[in-house]
Amino acid sequence: MLVVLPGLEARGLEVEESAKAPPPYSPIIASCAPKLPKNCGDEVKESVLGLEGSVPTAHCCRQLVRWGKTCHDAFAQLLVSREPGSQKSSILTNSKTIWEGCVDVEESSPIISSCAAKLSKNCGDEVKQSVLGLEGSVPTDKCCRQLVRTGKTCHDAFAQLLVSREPASQKSSILENSKTIWEECVEVVAQPPVSS
């Protein structure tokens, strides 16, 4: 039986029910494939395989980051399983380089850049640690006020960027933490500041 996955069918990339596709990756690829447009799947595949002059466009980089690291890593493993052993390390190196480059592109996207300019680095770090659920991490009242001034759209964009960088298993907790932190910070802003 042959299963063709949209967005990843460049140059005959198909997932077969056989030993060629490692079992741990097949279900992941099957769930990830429909989420990446075919043209971006082609660009990413050619770049990961190291075809000369192949670099994902900024648009496809943004799509890739939204696709998520788990999907990208599974895709790289699928490519490794289909190429000669001599290419394995270069595919994995290219995959890592492309992911990091695309994360940089996403971080420089207009919304992220615009939002980051409104939030101090210290406050950004506090919010990031809280959203990631690091024990004892809670934004200060001052940081909460800054966060709420940046707006919910910015907060949500930051959360989505964090989701894209972390394993898929952490997605729901990151989004839940993000929602909780936003609500708590809105409450802080609703209270008058404590005078000292």
Side-chain angles (χ1 to χ4, degrees), residues 180-196:
T180 301
I181 288 156
W182 178 259
E183 290 169 354
E184 289 173 358
C185 283
V186 166
E187 280 186 37
V188 165
V189 170
Q191 303 299 316
V194 177
S195 58
S196 28

Side-chain angles (χ1 to χ4, degrees), residues 56 60 75 97 112 117 142 146 148-149 176-177:
C60 284
F75 182 42
T97 301
I112 295 291
K142 180 180 177 183
Q146 215 179 103
V148 172
R149 273 195 306 272
E176 186 58 39
N177 291 345

Side-chain angles (χ1 to χ4, degrees), residues 148-170:
V148 172
R149 273 195 306 272
T150 67
K152 182 128 175 38
T153 300
C154 287
H155 180 67
D156 291 346
F158 290 139
Q160 286 302 321
L161 183 60
L162 287 175
V163 161
S164 73
R165 297 173 133 192
E166 299 297 323
S169 60
Q170 293 184 6

